[in-house]
Amino acid sequence: MFDPRALRADFPILERRVHDKRLVYLDNAATSQKPRQVIQALARYYECSNANVHRGLHTLAEEATEQYEGARRKAARFINASGPDEILFTRNTTEAINLVALTWGRANVRAGDEILITEMEHHSNLVPWQLLCQATGARLRYARICPDGTLDLDQVAALIGERTRLVAMTHMSNVLGTINPVGGVARLAHARGALLLVDGAQSVPHLPVDVRALDCDFLAFSSHKMLGPTGVGVLYGRRELLQAMPPLFGGGEMISRVEEQFSTWNELPWKFEAGTPNIADAIAFGAALDYLSALGMEAVREHERQLVAYALEALGQVPAITIYGPPDPAQRGGVVAFNFGGIHPHDVATVLDYEGVAVRAGHHCCQVLMRTLDIPAAARASFYVYNTEEDVDALVEALNSVREVFGSVAGRPL
Ligand code: 7TS
């Protein structure tokens, strides 16, 4: 097990002060901080090997290509894909999901077909399916969540029917923290001839994820939430599916042969990577994968399970707090969304920021979930490898300042 206090030395930003307080960074579900190893990989690439990939015959071009394709191999190993050709680099999770909706979706979904998602989806795993359904006449259906914030699996099973083409589901909710049993859902979907797309934006950075063990058909995730740079995401797809899918963008790199009136496509994965890719950030993402692999994803998960258990206990003692999501830390990741004493979460977050504590507040791109929970917004603390129990204590302490600033709500003392 790694020592989160020792790790902090790798993250230069954690040394800075905010409003003259120690920075307590608890907004990791939005984006994680970057270790020196990743920042240096980015600088090293630009200082030593910068060139375009796949096309030059000179030394720099070969180095850049080798490093870029090396990052793809690391990503394949990280999720146990059967090969690097199943890894497409995109800009982020959102683009990866849209790619499936626009290529596989347009080719395979017809009027009367059904796409099943859940009430806890981030807009990036919801709006692309709305657009696909609007374009094709298919129907978008929702699996409900139970009062404890878990999925009703019996209802999921009942909703997957003859017309279901795809189940698209988050592996871990960015609001409730709920970890969904996607392996079980894959079995239910496949038994009815449907595919499963997993939104791994919150799971791949925080838990061991093995696409072959889960037997999912697509998995999307983002580098920036797992210590890597912004601007790089991954779409994993099963080889046969990717081979059958038409490309999304046309241009350089993605073709095999171009005639005047038609073209043929490059092999996987390049068929889906038109134009010059985000070479530098992909290479630095490879450094982030090395960093996480060295920690071990089992250990990352265990650290966050312990931290979220501590946070649920400590925050649970705060008067007038409402915490969302499953009470059992084994069922949830390192995300704790809450409301406090009827104070608007934006006001809570603003006062916390004065105490150096960075949290996110708002609807967290989950407006459908907010409606189900019957709240307009929530504040959210989210943890990562460098967070400690002291950070949780700082959050609880800073909530006391919120109480002092607001004193009472609707005439009732807080
Ligand atoms: N899916 C989930 C479950 C997410 O939490 C997010 C981002 C995305 C998809 C989209 O990822 P992107 O990299 O394409 O933007 N979630 C959040 C969040 O909770 N706060 O800021 C971004």
Side-chain angles (χ1 to χ4, degrees):
M1 185 76 179
F2 58 89
D3 176 2
R5 284 167 197 83
L7 286 192
R8 294 176 71 87
D10 289 335
F11 293 80
I13 208 168
L14 297 179
E15 280 152 34
R16 71 159 283 181
R17 294 178 74 78
V18 171
H19 299 300
D20 208 26
K21 303 270 167 47
R22 175 174 86 86
L23 168 64
V24 177
Y25 187 77
L26 298 179
D27 195 17
N28 293 286
T31 201
S32 71
Q33 298 303 348
K34 323 301 173 199
R36 210 170 257 118
Q37 289 83 336
V38 168
I39 301 166
Q40 284 169 353
L42 203 53
R44 196 167 49 242
Y45 167 74
Y46 279 127
E47 287 175 5
C48 304
S49 306
N50 178 55
N52 211 329
V53 289
H54 302 140
R55 47 195 98 186
L57 289 173
H58 57 82
T59 302
L60 295 191
E62 279 170 10
E63 281 178 18
T65 304
E66 174 46 34
Q67 290 174 31
Y68 179 70
E69 293 303 329
R72 195 192 306 278
R73 290 194 293 274
K74 288 175 189 179
R77 271 199 302 275
F78 197 78
I79 58 166
N80 197 28
S82 54
D85 55 331
E86 294 184 320
I87 302 293
L88 316 185
F89 283 132
T90 62
R91 278 191 305 144
N92 47 35
T93 303
T94 305
E95 189 175 278
I97 296 172
N98 276 278
L99 193 155
V100 178
L102 289 167
T103 58
W104 177 86
R106 297 285 176 113
N108 291 284
V109 175
R110 300 279 171 269
D113 287 348
E114 295 180 359
I115 307 284
L116 176 63
I117 65 172
T118 81
E119 286 179 339
M120 66 172 89
E121 298 312 314
H122 187 281
H123 295 162
S124 74
N125 195 32
L126 189 159
V127 181
W129 308 119
Q130 281 182 342
L131 293 172
L132 176 66
C133 288
Q134 285 159 9
T136 57
R139 180 174 173 208
L140 185 59
R141 306 196 71 183
Y142 286 82
R144 277 194 307 271
I145 57 166
C146 303
D148 69 352
T150 58
L151 269 185
D152 179 344
L153 273 189
D154 291 338
Q155 201 225 359
V156 172
L159 282 171
I160 304 175
E162 292 288 288
R163 300 308 306 258
T164 311
R165 290 287 159 268
L166 178 81
V167 181
M169 178 179 287
T170 189
H171 197 174
M172 179 184 139
S173 161
N174 62 319
V175 175
L176 303 167
T178 313
I179 298 170
N180 288 320
V182 286
V185 175
R187 279 194 295 282
L188 293 172
H190 292 157
R192 305 266 162 79
L195 301 183
L196 175 69
L197 176 142
V198 175
D199 174 351
Q202 298 294 346
S203 63
V204 177
H206 301 282
L207 343 157
V209 173
D210 176 331
V211 286
R212 281 188 276 177
L214 292 177
D215 198 21
C216 61
D217 300 289
F218 298 106
L219 172 77
F221 55 102
S222 296
S223 150
H224 72 93
K225 291 187 199 289
M226 47 196 301
L227 310 181
T230 50
V232 181
V234 168
L235 175 67
Y236 156 82
R238 263 203 298 124
R239 186 172 294 116
E240 313 83 79
L241 292 168
L242 294 178
Q243 275 164 348
M245 276 156 54
L248 177 58
F249 297 121
E253 198 78 346
M254 51 74 71
I255 49 81
S256 165
R257 184 182 171 90
V258 178
E259 300 291 341
E260 280 195 17
Q261 299 300 327
F262 69 90
S263 303
T264 57
W265 313 137
N266 201 344
E267 291 168 6
L268 291 179
W270 305 290
K271 177 173 93 176
F272 291 99
E273 293 184 8
T276 301
N278 187 350
I279 305 164
D281 291 315
I283 291 169
F285 175 43
L289 293 171
D290 289 342
Y291 192 97
L292 286 171
S293 301
L295 297 181
M297 290 309 292
E298 294 283 354
V300 171
R301 167 65 188 141
E302 181 52 22
H303 165 67
E304 288 177 25
R305 196 193 57 74
Q306 286 174 16
L307 203 53
V308 86
Y310 183 83
L312 291 175
E313 175 70 30
L315 288 168
Q317 315 273 321
V318 174
I321 201 167
T322 306
I323 297 173
Y324 304 101
D328 178 2
Q331 281 185 304
R332 64 187 293 157
V335 165
V336 183
F338 59 93
N339 266 303
F340 183 44
I343 306 164
H344 196 283
H346 285 167
D347 295 331
V348 173
T350 304
V351 178
L352 292 181
D353 181 58
Y354 272 99
E355 299 297 325
V357 179
V359 300
R360 186 175 170 191
H363 55 63
H364 308 283
C365 302
C366 290
Q367 291 187 7
V368 168
L369 176 62
M370 292 292 124
R371 243 165 264 136
T372 303
L373 297 175
D374 199 21
I375 52 174
R380 180 190 67 188
S382 52
F383 308 116
Y384 212 6
V385 290
Y386 35 70
N387 289 121
T388 61
E389 291 178 354
E390 288 85 78
D391 292 343
V392 175
D393 295 343
L395 168 64
V396 172
E397 189 56 36
L399 285 172
N400 284 327
S401 303
V402 177
R403 179 182 295 107
E404 278 161 25
V405 170
F406 288 91
S408 64
V409 170
R412 279 180 323 183
L414 260 175

